[in-house]
Amino acid sequence: MTRTDTTRFSPTKAERSSSDDADRVSRVADKILIVGLDGATFDVLNPLMDAGQMPHLRRIITEGTSGILESTKPPITPAAWTTFMTGKGPGRHGIIDFEKYDVHTNTLTLNHTQSILEKTIWEILSEKGMRVGSINLPMTYPPRPVNGFMISGFETPDIHSDFTYPPQLKEEILLRWPDYTYRTNWQRRILGGRRIFSRNIAHIARSFEQGCQIAELCTERYGWDVMMVLFKLVDNLQHKAWRYLPPHGTSVDTARTRMVTECFNRLDETIGRLRQLAQREGAMVIIMSDHGHGSLDGKSQPNALLRQWGHLVLRSPLERAKTRAAYLWHRATKPKNSRFAEAAMPIERDLAVDWTRTRACVMHAGMYGFLYITRKDRWPGGIVEPTDYEALRDELARRFREVECDHPRLGRCRLFPEVHKPEDLYRCNRDECDWLPDLLLIPAEGLAVVRKIRGFGPVRWTSDRRMEGTHRVEGILAVCGPHVRAGARLNAHIADIAPTLLASLGLRVPVDMEGRALTELFDVALPVEFEPPQKRERVEPEKPVYSAEEMETLSRRLSDLGYLE
C-alpha cells in the first residue's frame, strides 16, 4: 500500500525552518508510539499481572520504566488529556470539564477542540515537520489539520460527523469497519441480565481490537513519527463493572468477574500487538492513562448545602413542573436543530434555580464541584456586590471545609477536604480566566460531586450491590524502548509527557510548558533546550460546533457515565 500525503496542512516558512537538522538537539528516540488506556489504574492492573493474566504489559514494565502518573485536578478526561496535549494545566489551556459555563450569559455548552486555548502537541510537532497520528483521543473533535492524520475521540457526536483528518480517512474506516461507532452501547435490562452483560463486555473487547487494527491501517497508509491510539472504553468498563473487578469488587457473581477479567486479557493482547508494531517502526512505547480509578462510594451534593445555608434558592414545585413540561413540549414539537433556553436547560432541568435570590451555585460538576458566585458586575441578574465577593468566597470555602460525613470506608472525615480558589490551584490570573469557577470543591476519596439535589442530605451513599467506579488522581505510566532504563520506577505528572516527547525527539521545548522533560527515564543523557512560547491563534467557529440534537446525544452519553448529574 502506498503511503498517503495529507494536503491541507501547510506550515509557514518560519515553522518549517524550526525542523531543520541544524535546529535539532540530540535525540534519544526516532519514533514514539503512545498507547492511552483511559482511566487505567495499577490497583486493577497489578493484581491481574500478578495472576499472569496480562503478560504483555508485565513485560513492558519489566523491560522499561513505570510508575504513577499524577492527573490534573479535577482528574477527568477532558482536563487531563488536554494537559497531556499541551503540557499545561487547566488554568492555561481552558478545559476543566466536559461542560463549560459562561458567567456572562448563564449558559452551559460542551467543550471541543476549538475550546482549547493553547497549541497541542499535534500542532507543535506538525509545525516542526514531524508526521503525527492521533486515534480516538478525547478533545480532538472536530479534528484540526495536522501533518499526518487524526481520528477524533469520545466527544464526537456520531459517525455522520466529520471525524477524521484527512476527510477521506472516514470513508475508508466506515468501509472496512461498518460497525464503527462512538456509542458506548452499555445496555441494562431487568431480564436477560447476564446475557446483556456479556454483550456489553464483548462490545468493549471489540473496541480494543478495532483500535489496534485502525492503528495498523494508518501506519501503513500514512506513516508517523509520533502516533497515539486511545482506548476510551477501559474507563467505561471500570465505571460500569467495578464491583466485579478483583480484588476490589463486592459482587460474588464469578461469571461476570471472569468476563471482565477476560476483557482485560483482550486489552493485553492488543498492547502486545501494538508493541510489535512499535518494534517494526523502531519506536519507543509510552503507555499512560489520564487518571486512575476506584470505587464510587457516594455522590456529594454541595448545592444541597448551599440551599441549607440560604445561598441557593429553588423555585416553587409548581414552577419547576412548568419548566420541565415546557422543555418536554419543546422537544416533542420543535425542529431538532432548534435550541431551548439558550443551552441553559441543563441547569434549569436539574435545579430550577431562583436566580433573583441565589448568591452561589455549583453550575456543573466533573468529579469536583465548580461553584460560581452571582456577582453583579459579571453575571446577568447577579445579586452579590463586588465588594462582598471575597468575603463570601472565603466564608463558603471555610464552611465547605468544615462539613464532615461518615464515610463507609474512611470513617468520620471531611466531605470536602480540599477547597481551592482556582487562581491559587492553577497559578493563573483570575481576571483573565472568567470562565473558571470561583471555588473548586474536591470531595473525599470515593465521592463524586453532582449538581442535582435529591433528598435532604449532603451525600447519597451507594450500596455495595450497586457499586460502580469513579476517578482517582493516580494514573499509570509505563515506557519501554531504546535507551529507556530497565526495571526502574518513576512517578510523574501528566503535564510532563508533552515536554518529554519533544525532548526525546531532539526538539526544543516551549519555555511556558508547565511540565518537565523526564530526563531520568533514559540510560543516556537527554539534553533539554527551550524555545519561546508557542501561542495558538484563536479562531472563533463560524457556527456552533454542536447542534442541539448533537448536544442532546452527547449529554446522554456523558450522563450514562455519571458525568452530568
Side-chain angles (χ1 to χ4, degrees), residues 323-370:
T323 301
R324 179 64 177 168
Y327 170 72
L328 294 174
W329 175 254
H330 175 88
R331 286 194 60 187
T333 60
K334 300 299 181 183
K336 288 185 176 180
N337 62 350
S338 64
R339 293 179 180 272
F340 183 64
E342 297 297 324
M345 274 313 299
I347 300 175
E348 295 299 310
R349 289 203 308 268
D350 294 347
L351 289 175
V353 176
D354 182 349
W355 298 113
T356 65
R357 295 189 291 164
T358 291
R359 288 186 286 273
C361 179
V362 171
M363 301 296 188
H364 59 115
M367 302 298 137
Y368 295 175
F370 306 115

Side-chain angles (χ1 to χ4, degrees), residues 24 27 30 125-126 128-132 147 225 505 507:
R24 297 289 286 269
R27 62 163 64 184
D30 293 320
L125 289 171
S126 292
K128 292 177 179 293
M130 307 295 284
R131 203 156 179 83
V132 301
N147 183 29
D225 296 301
L505 294 164
L507 301 171

Side-chain angles (χ1 to χ4, degrees), residues 75-118:
I76 193 168
T77 292
W81 284 126
T82 306
T83 289
F84 153 75
M85 288 192 286
T86 61
K88 300 171 184 176
R92 296 279 299 283
H93 61 58
I95 308 296
I96 57 171
D97 190 13
F98 288 104
E99 293 180 300
K100 185 170 188 174
Y101 179 68
D102 187 333
V103 297
H104 302 291
T105 60
N106 188 26
T107 58
L108 279 168
T109 56
L110 292 177
N111 280 311
H112 45 76
T113 186
Q114 295 176 23
S115 307
I116 300 173
L117 303 178
E118 300 284 345

Side-chain angles (χ1 to χ4, degrees), residues 353-536:
V353 176
D354 182 349
W355 298 113
T356 65
R357 295 189 291 164
T358 291
R359 288 186 286 273
C361 179
V362 171
M363 301 296 188
H364 59 115
M367 302 298 137
Y368 295 175
F370 306 115
L371 183 147
Y372 293 81
I373 292 173
T374 60
R375 265 175 54 167
K376 280 186 175 181
D377 59 337
R378 71 177 188 192
W379 202 89
I383 65 172
V384 176
E385 296 289 349
T387 53
D388 298 331
Y389 168 72
E390 284 298 343
L392 178 58
R393 196 158 65 141
D394 290 339
E395 176 199 338
L396 290 174
R398 174 184 58 78
R399 295 193 74 170
F400 275 112
R401 289 192 191 102
E402 291 173 350
V403 176
E404 294 187 341
C405 65
D406 292 313
H407 197 294
R409 288 190 300 105
L410 306 179
R412 191 72 176 169
C413 67
R414 290 187 177 182
L415 181 57
F416 297 100
E418 293 182 52
V419 179
H420 292 283
K421 296 179 179 179
E423 64 269 31
D424 297 335
L425 181 63
Y426 298 137
R427 302 190 302 277
C428 62
N429 186 323
R430 182 71 182 84
D431 293 334
E432 296 176 357
C433 304
D434 59 8
W435 49 270
L436 282 171
D438 296 299
L439 291 174
L440 278 87
L441 312 179
I442 302 181
E445 181 182 276
L447 296 181
V449 178
V450 295
R451 176 174 55 207
K452 296 179 181 178
I453 300 175
R454 290 180 179 170
F456 299 98
V459 185
R460 304 196 318 263
W461 298 106
T462 304
S463 68
D464 287 349
R465 186 176 60 85
R466 298 175 61 96
M467 181 178 288
E468 295 186 344
T470 193
H471 299 183
R472 299 288 193 272
V473 172
E474 300 85 5
I476 73 162
L477 177 66
V479 186
C480 72
H483 304 301
V484 177
R485 294 166 59 206
R489 294 282 297 172
L490 170 66
N491 293 337
H493 190 277
I494 195 167
D496 299 333
I497 303 302
T500 301
L501 292 175
L502 293 169
S504 299
L505 294 164
L507 301 171
R508 288 177 169 81
V509 177
V511 71
D512 63 337
M513 281 190 172
E514 295 177 5
R516 67 180 185 88
L518 300 172
T519 57
E520 61 270 43
L521 265 177
F522 306 100
D523 58 17
V524 295
L526 176 66
V528 182
E529 296 188 10
F530 297 94
E531 66 180 12
Q534 298 284 319
K535 293 300 181 183
R536 183 185 232 187

Side-chain angles (χ1 to χ4, degrees), residues 20 52 64 141 184-185 193 237 255 265 294-295 321 324 341 363 384 398 400 448 536 538:
D20 291 346
Y141 178 83
T184 56
N185 276 6
L237 176 63
N265 289 337
S295 61
R324 179 64 177 168
M363 301 296 188
V384 176
R398 174 184 58 78
F400 275 112
R536 183 185 232 187
R538 288 285 290 156

